[in-house]
Amino acid sequence: MSYIRFRKHYLHLPYVVLGLVEFGVLFAIFSLLALLLAPLGLAQLPTPPDLASALMFAVVMSAGTLAMGGYLAMVQETALSLFLRTLVAYCFIGGLGLTILYFLFPSADPGSTGLFWAVVLASLSVLLIRLVFQRVVDSEQVVRRVVIFGAGDLAASLLEEYQTNMRALGIRIIGCIADSPNRTVGDEQLIPPPGDFYRFCLRNEVSEIVIAQQERRSASGGWLPVPDLMECKLRGIAVTNGIDFYERELKKVKLDMVHPSWIVFSDGFKASRTRAFAKRLLDLTLSLFILLVACPFMILTALAVWAETGRPVLYSQNRVGMLGREFRIYKIRSMRLDAEKDGKARWASSKDDRITRVGAFIRNTRLDELPQIYNVIRGEMSIVGPRPERPEFVSELTEKIPFYDTRHYVKPGLMGWAQLKYPYGASVEDARHKLEYDLYYSKNHSLMMDLLIMIQTVEVILLGKGVR
């Protein structure tokens, strides 16, 4: 098994191991510096090393890597981009985080010299570990070999995702076994149906069979070799439904495979009063803290908007919230006053000429979203959840996209899983792709997943990802 499920969220085991190894190295580097530099008077490090200080250093630096999306991006990156991402994670995010903590806990401060060498050694050591990891994960000796049973649209879609995303996860799809004469997959990717499935898997070192059939009850529905698949599963070869494979590997729900019975019987989509209370308590605590910290930035942003385009500085729109209830959302205005002078709702587009110069900056940095803290305090939104959409768009999307209403069974949020995984949505097709991530969040959301989303949103803000 190459993954674990922690609090309903799937984690790939190689990356968990990598994270633990890096954490141990970071802890060891800080402790080693205490033994080497402190006796020479080159750093304010305690000897023997203080456990809490070393632990603080390792936690903050690891959080910096998570914040920059370092783990899942690294296999697809060049050595240069990996170096730059590590540098930003450690020198900027990690350094800033440690500076704030040392201000609050001065006894843990190793001094500027000690911190400098700790960050430098940590960056070099972790970069070396990641370069080795890239080669190991991509090695044919450790990859998971997968065969797809099915050769229709779903199998073709899975192959497309494999080329763009799954190879980085240590997966090799060796081909597809057609289940019917109606095929979408190319001949070069087809495998003749084996006479003995288990022997075929042994010969080709297949560790998993993914069932990606079209609807079997339709006219084009194909055959399913149940006895062969049972034998494979009972003898240690995983047999996985296509929708579960998508969810596990890509952290989204493939909409084309969703049917009502899957939602009803799946292990997820559970409402919990205890969790709702804990989430509300966390929302109030964080929103009040953010309001306190962000208040000066909101004032400066409001003054900049007023100086460029005058009043009003704020604007509001109706949005659809939990259980379909409409509420009024508040933002700092980033568009011209006549952005929708005809009263018709329009998607924002790339290089939208309605966006002002100040508006472009505050949209990139998400400063325009800060007034929504008020909506969080009122209980209309959460810190984490699917982004709320305008009623005009919801009516259209509900008609065109199956299961679109399911996203309204979770409270909308300031930040969300779909915002991390997919760029800004400006069409029905974009909304369809984002719903796949919203469904994954609705099914598997937990406080731990919310924390992960909060940390990773730092990369979205710093790099201006998904903005229009």
Side-chain angles (χ1 to χ4, degrees):
M1 185 177 69
S2 60
Y3 62 90
I4 58 174
R5 199 176 185 192
F6 182 71
R7 303 296 294 173
K8 299 192 290 185
H9 186 60
Y10 291 100
L11 302 173
H12 289 96
L13 197 56
Y15 293 95
V16 173
V17 173
L18 174 66
L20 292 174
V21 169
E22 288 187 2
F23 186 89
V25 169
L26 293 170
F27 185 90
I29 284 173
F30 193 93
S31 302
L32 187 62
L33 282 175
L35 297 173
L36 297 179
L37 297 182
L40 301 175
L42 298 177
Q44 302 169 19
L45 291 162
T47 307
D50 178 50
L51 180 64
S53 297
L55 193 62
M56 182 186 295
F57 178 80
V59 167
V60 171
M61 289 300 181
S62 298
T65 298
L66 277 174
M68 285 304 297
Y71 291 118
L72 292 183
M74 69 177 64
V75 177
Q76 296 169 307
E77 290 186 319
T78 63
L80 178 60
S81 58
L82 181 63
F83 170 76
L84 294 175
R85 188 182 290 268
T86 305
L87 204 63
V88 172
Y90 281 12
C91 297
F92 180 70
I93 298 177
L96 182 62
L98 287 170
T99 300
I100 295 171
L101 284 175
Y102 292 151
F103 176 77
L104 298 173
F105 305 101
S107 60
D109 190 350
S112 57
T113 302
L115 183 59
F116 170 79
W117 284 111
V119 171
V120 168
L121 290 175
S123 301
L124 293 175
S125 301
V126 166
L127 184 63
L128 180 61
I129 291 171
R130 291 177 185 178
L131 289 172
V132 172
F133 178 81
Q134 280 184 323
R135 292 187 175 276
V136 171
V137 166
D138 205 39
S139 169
E140 293 297 327
Q141 282 71 41
V142 298
V143 296
R144 289 175 288 151
R145 293 171 63 81
V146 173
V147 65
I148 301 173
F149 186 82
D153 292 338
L154 299 181
S157 174
L158 204 155
L159 283 173
E160 184 180 352
E161 292 275 13
Y162 163 70
Q163 294 297 335
T164 55
N165 296 307
M166 290 187 191
R167 290 184 66 88
L169 300 174
I171 296 172
R172 293 293 179 272
I173 295 180
I174 65 172
C176 301
I177 299 172
D179 63 321
S180 77
N182 300 316
R183 302 166 185 168
T184 306
V185 173
D187 291 341
E188 71 281 0
Q189 294 166 317
L190 288 175
I191 298 172
D196 187 322
F197 270 71
Y198 179 68
R199 296 295 173 192
F200 167 81
C201 291
L202 285 184
R203 285 196 307 270
N204 293 277
E205 299 179 339
V206 172
S207 60
E208 187 168 13
I209 302 170
V210 177
I211 310 300
Q213 287 183 294
Q214 301 301 118
E215 177 57 63
R216 295 183 65 220
R217 288 169 292 185
S218 67
S220 61
W223 62 291
L224 185 67
V226 176
D228 291 299
L229 295 175
M230 284 180 58
E231 180 186 10
C232 289
K233 182 155 189 174
L234 292 171
R235 299 184 72 169
I237 296 168
V239 179
T240 309
N241 191 302
I243 191 171
D244 296 328
F245 185 76
Y246 257 101
E247 181 185 355
R248 189 186 77 207
E249 300 298 336
L250 297 175
K251 311 296 186 297
K252 69 177 183 178
V253 173
K254 186 61 177 174
L255 203 56
D256 294 335
M257 298 182 178
V258 175
H259 43 83
S261 61
W262 177 78
I263 294 177
V264 171
F265 295 110
S266 66
D267 181 22
F269 299 104
K270 295 179 181 177
S272 166
R273 291 185 178 181
T274 303
R275 184 189 178 280
F277 175 78
K279 187 177 175 71
R280 179 62 181 147
L281 189 62
L282 182 64
D283 284 341
L284 281 173
T285 304
L286 286 177
S287 58
L288 291 172
F289 174 75
I290 293 171
L291 184 63
L292 180 67
V293 173
C295 193
F297 298 100
M298 284 195 286
I299 293 172
L300 290 173
T301 302
L303 289 173
V305 171
W306 175 77
E308 184 181 26
T309 54
R311 299 168 58 188
V313 170
L314 290 178
Y315 85 101
S316 62
Q317 285 179 338
N318 280 348
R319 296 291 173 100
V320 178
M322 192 171 182
L323 302 179
R325 302 189 190 100
E326 291 189 22
F327 67 99
R328 204 78 179 160
I329 199 173
Y330 296 91
K331 286 187 175 186
I332 297 176
R333 184 169 55 82
S334 59
M335 290 188 175
R336 301 192 315 260
L337 292 170
D338 62 347
E340 291 182 355
K341 57 185 176 182
D342 56 359
K344 184 178 180 181
R346 296 202 304 272
W347 299 97
S349 60
S350 180
K351 298 181 181 178
D352 198 317
D353 60 3
R354 296 175 297 165
I355 300 173
T356 64
R357 286 177 298 176
V358 171
F361 173 77
I362 65 176
R363 287 168 78 95
N364 274 320
T365 54
R366 300 306 199 278
L367 289 169
D368 63 322
E369 309 279 1
L370 287 176
Q372 292 168 42
I373 295 169
Y374 173 71
N375 296 108
V376 177
I377 294 172
R378 282 173 56 92
E380 298 162 333
M381 292 177 63
S382 178
I383 295 292
V384 178
R387 288 295 295 159
E389 197 50 85
R390 300 175 70 172
E392 301 91 334
F393 294 147
V394 168
S395 299
E396 177 188 3
L397 297 172
T398 302
E399 291 178 4
K400 296 181 177 179
I401 303 175
F403 305 104
Y404 188 80
D405 266 348
T406 55
R407 71 195 301 275
H408 297 134
Y409 285 88
V410 178
K411 192 177 289 188
L414 280 172
M415 57 190 79
W417 187 242
Q419 280 62 48
L420 285 178
K421 298 296 183 178
Y422 195 83
Y424 186 91
S427 67
V428 173
E429 190 59 28
D430 286 339
R432 181 184 179 87
H433 287 300
K434 294 187 81 167
L435 178 61
E436 294 181 333
Y437 292 106
D438 285 335
L439 276 173
Y440 178 87
Y441 177 80
S442 298
K443 180 177 182 288
N444 300 300
H445 65 104
S446 64
L447 293 179
M448 183 60 67
M449 187 176 180
D450 286 356
L451 180 61
L452 179 67
I453 292 171
M454 290 179 208
I455 293 173
Q456 290 185 315
T457 299
V458 172
E459 181 191 10
V460 175
I461 295 172
L462 285 179
L463 302 183
K465 293 172 65 176
V467 175
R468 288 190 186 177

